[in-house]
């Protein structure tokens, strides 16, 4: 075949993947290992990432491992957090470090942040060797798929749709006893239990105690399959937990608990209380700058907590969403702009709607158009800043290795108070002649 013909075929393949990614993933999933790698490696990065997202964990790992190093780097730099989790969660620290060494410092930190989990989380137990079959396959096609994947054969095969979302399970016993032309959909069973990658070992132990299962699926927030925890790992967790209990019995603590040493709690909490004290004085100092104005118009002192309270609530809402997204690996530092842009829009719209009601209430109270205008403008600006701050503070703290859940609220309260007071009193200064 000529060079031009090869280029034409490549272009057609790329267009097919772009237009029909799930169907393309089905075709590639069924190919032998060498053909899967050869065909996928020819795709542009965006299409390759989409294919990896739809492949089973075992096949996605195989494909990624066989890519050339520059291609691996391109995939990691462009992939969303869930794909990075799917590819690298089961790697040990030495393997990850070797791969990430070629990245620039910022990109490496972003990826490492996505892969940071508590030692007690499911991520430390997960394996990518999950046997999967598509829901629309026939029994014969499913058996052939199991052969192609060449993973450790388990008693249970997980059933997924064309986007790698978990739908059910089927046992190898059922596959062996069912007619070859029957559909997997007809013989699959519901999955009794599954876990999220951030769940704790205690959750896994409880499931093992309550259910008779040989594989425990690990899903992301879109119900996509990231991997499994095998029965051997489940048993290992029980043994580790028993050993930890023995350590506690002789006074060897494995981690801080609710009733751990008070001194340990003081050590971690006291610095943040000092910080909070400092930030409270900072907010008070902002009000002090406008002391004469507040003394002249006492209504401003009454309305100050309204602006600060509303901006604080708006910021807390944005912060809660951001912290949850970080905990569940839905977002990372690389999504900071998209998240802050969204919260800016939400803050402006909510601020406007709140400002209409608040402005009307203030006018009915004071009969002052100027005061109503001041509170309305302040509310819009304060809620917009609060939304952006609520989104960015947890992301920045996580980027610099701090726990967002512990320290975000103190920093956010400072920002919303200082900005709320300054905006409100600053606008009041500009419009003082209209109050």
């Amino acid at each position: 075949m000529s060079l031009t013909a090869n280029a034409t075929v490549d272009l057609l393949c790329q267009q097919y993947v772009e237009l029909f990614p799930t169907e393309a993933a089905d075709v590639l999933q069924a190919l032998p290992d060498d053909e899967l790698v050869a065909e996928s490696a020819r795709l542009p990065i965006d299409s390759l990432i989409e294919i990896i997202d739809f492949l089973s964990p075992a096949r996605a790992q195989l494909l990624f491992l066989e890519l050339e190093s520059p291609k691996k780097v391109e995939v990691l730099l462009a992939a969303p957090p869930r794909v990075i989790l799917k590819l690298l969660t089961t790697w040990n620290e030495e393997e990850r470090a070797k791969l990430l060494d070629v990245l620039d410092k910022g990109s490496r930190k972003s990826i490492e942040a996505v892969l940071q989990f508590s030692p007690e989380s499911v991520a430390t137990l997960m394996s990518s060797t999950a046997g999967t079959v598509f829901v629309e396959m026939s029994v014969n096609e499913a058996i052939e798929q199991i052969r192609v994947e060449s993973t450790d054969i388990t008693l249970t095969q997980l059933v997924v749709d064309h986007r790698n979302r978990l739908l059910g399970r089927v046992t190898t016993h059922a596959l062996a006893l069912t007619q070859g032309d029957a559909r997997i959909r007809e013989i699959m069973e519901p999955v009794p239990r599954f876990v999220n990658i951030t769940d704790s070992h205690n959750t896994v132990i409880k499931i093992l105690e309550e259910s008779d299962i040989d594989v425990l699926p690990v899903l992301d927030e879109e119900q996509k399959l990231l991997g499994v925890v095998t029965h051997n790992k489940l048993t290992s967790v029980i043994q580790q937990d028993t050993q930890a209990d023995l350590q506690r019995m002789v006074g060897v603590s494995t981690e801080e608990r609710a009733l751990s040493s008070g001194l340990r709690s003081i050590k971690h909490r006291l610095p943040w209380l000092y910080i909070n004290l400092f930030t409270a004085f900072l907010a008070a100092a902002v009000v002090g700058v406008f002391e004469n104005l507040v003394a002249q118009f006492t209504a401003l002192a009454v309305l100050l907590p309204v602006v600060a309270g509303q901006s604080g609530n708006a910021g807390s809402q944005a912060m809660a969403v951001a912290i949850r997204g970080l905990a569940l690996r839905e977002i990372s530092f690389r999504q900071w702009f998209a998240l802050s842009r969204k919260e800016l829009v939400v803050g402006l719209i909510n601020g406007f709607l709140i400002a209409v009601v608040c402005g009307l209430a203030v006018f009915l109270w004071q009969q002052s158009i100027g005061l109503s205008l001041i509170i309305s403008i302040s509310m819009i600006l304060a809620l917009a800043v609060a939304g952006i701050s609520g989104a960015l503070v947890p992301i920045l703290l996580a980027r610099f290795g701090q726990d967002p859940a512990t320290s975000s609220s103190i920093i956010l309260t400072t920002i919303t108070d200082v900005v709320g007071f300054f905006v409100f009193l600053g606008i009041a200064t500009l419009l003082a002649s209209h109050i």
Side-chain angles (χ1 to χ4, degrees):
M1 188 178 291
S2 67
L3 183 61
T4 303
N6 281 331
T8 302
V9 171
D10 286 347
L11 180 60
L12 289 173
C13 290
Q14 292 173 16
Q15 290 178 340
Y16 178 75
V17 172
E18 291 173 5
L19 294 173
F20 309 103
T22 56
E23 290 82 355
D26 291 352
V27 174
L28 292 169
Q29 174 100 359
L31 293 177
D33 294 353
D34 55 345
E35 293 183 30
L36 167 64
V37 174
E39 294 299 328
S40 301
R42 295 157 56 186
L43 298 173
I45 290 299
D46 289 345
S47 298
L48 178 58
I49 291 171
E50 195 163 19
I51 291 297
I52 290 173
D53 192 18
F54 293 155
L55 290 177
S56 69
R59 301 291 274 167
Q61 285 263 5
L62 168 78
L63 172 56
F64 183 72
L65 286 171
E66 293 299 324
L67 293 175
E68 295 180 356
S69 293
K71 201 88 167 181
K72 287 178 183 175
V73 171
E74 289 185 71
V75 169
L76 293 178
L77 292 177
R82 68 171 183 275
V83 173
I84 294 174
L85 288 175
K86 186 176 182 179
L87 294 175
L88 299 184
T89 299
T90 57
W91 289 33
N92 62 43
E93 291 186 11
E94 185 178 345
E95 291 172 333
R96 287 181 192 168
K98 186 176 180 180
L99 175 64
L100 300 180
D101 273 345
V102 299
L103 301 179
D104 63 84
K105 188 176 181 180
S107 299
R108 176 168 181 163
K109 279 190 174 181
S110 295
I111 293 174
E112 287 176 339
V114 172
L115 297 168
Q116 281 181 350
F117 291 94
S118 163
E120 296 296 313
S121 71
V122 169
T124 61
L125 307 174
M126 191 176 76
S127 167
S128 63
T129 57
T132 58
V133 294
F134 290 126
V135 66
E136 299 299 339
M137 280 182 169
S138 68
V139 169
N140 282 338
E141 290 171 335
I143 292 173
E144 182 59 30
Q145 177 68 43
I146 294 170
R147 291 195 189 102
V148 168
E149 285 197 8
S150 300
T151 58
D152 297 335
I153 301 300
T154 59
L155 298 177
T156 301
Q157 303 296 315
L158 300 176
V159 182
V160 297
D161 66 9
H162 296 295
R163 292 185 176 272
N164 195 41
R165 290 179 295 210
L166 183 67
L167 299 180
R169 67 174 185 172
V170 61
T171 64
T172 51
H173 180 73
L175 289 173
L177 296 180
T178 305
Q179 293 291 332
D181 57 353
R183 294 286 158 184
I184 294 298
R185 182 182 294 278
E186 300 170 11
I187 62 172
M188 75 175 185
E189 309 167 353
V191 175
R193 302 296 295 270
F194 57 84
V195 291
N196 187 277
I197 196 169
T198 57
D199 287 341
S200 67
H201 287 189
N202 289 335
T203 302
V204 174
I205 292 169
K206 186 176 180 181
I207 290 174
L208 179 59
E209 291 172 345
E210 296 175 350
S211 308
D212 182 20
I213 55 177
D214 63 325
V215 292
L216 180 63
V218 181
L219 309 182
D220 65 14
E221 284 302 294
E222 297 181 7
Q223 303 299 299
K224 290 186 177 182
L225 185 65
L226 288 175
V228 295
V229 181
T230 63
H231 189 273
N232 289 339
K233 276 289 187 180
L234 293 175
T235 305
S236 174
V237 172
I238 294 289
Q239 294 172 344
Q240 291 172 11
D241 189 67
T242 302
Q243 183 180 9
D245 287 339
L246 292 173
Q247 290 176 322
R248 295 186 192 102
M249 288 174 64
V250 296
V252 181
S253 177
T254 57
E255 62 178 350
E256 183 182 357
R257 302 289 184 180
L259 298 178
S260 292
S261 166
L263 291 175
R264 182 183 179 92
S265 298
I266 291 171
K267 178 182 176 181
H268 288 286
R269 297 177 190 179
L270 187 59
W272 289 109
L273 291 175
Y274 278 127
I275 293 173
N276 192 34
L277 180 63
F278 170 76
T279 58
F281 279 121
L282 183 62
V286 173
V287 178
V289 172
F290 299 93
E291 181 179 359
N292 293 334
L293 181 70
V294 174
Q296 184 179 356
F297 303 102
T298 55
L300 295 177
V302 177
L303 294 175
L304 267 176
V306 177
V307 177
Q310 285 297 104
S311 63
N313 288 337
S316 296
Q317 290 174 337
M319 180 184 70
V321 172
I323 290 176
R324 182 177 183 274
L326 288 168
L328 297 176
R329 301 316 194 259
E330 295 174 340
I331 58 172
S332 67
F333 181 75
R334 290 186 292 179
Q335 279 75 45
W336 72 269
F337 182 75
L339 186 61
S340 57
R341 181 176 58 189
K342 170 214 164 186
E343 293 298 342
L344 172 62
V345 173
V346 171
L348 287 172
I349 294 174
N350 282 342
F352 175 78
L353 296 175
I354 293 293
V356 171
V357 176
C358 189
L360 179 60
V362 169
F363 179 77
L364 293 175
W365 172 46
Q366 288 288 313
Q367 303 296 311
S368 170
I369 294 178
L371 196 57
S372 297
L373 187 61
I374 290 168
I375 192 73
S376 298
I377 297 173
S378 301
M379 199 67 74
I380 295 172
L381 295 178
L383 262 66
V385 173
I388 296 174
S389 302
L392 288 182
V393 167
I395 289 180
L396 290 173
L397 285 172
R399 176 66 184 271
F400 291 109
Q402 300 299 314
D403 181 6
T406 302
S407 47
S408 290
S409 59
I410 293 175
I411 297 175
L412 179 64
T413 299
T414 304
I415 294 173
T416 55
D417 284 352
V418 170
V419 171
F421 292 161
F422 184 81
V423 167
F424 179 65
L425 295 175
I427 294 174
T429 301
L430 296 175
L431 300 178
S433 60
H434 300 284
I435 298 178

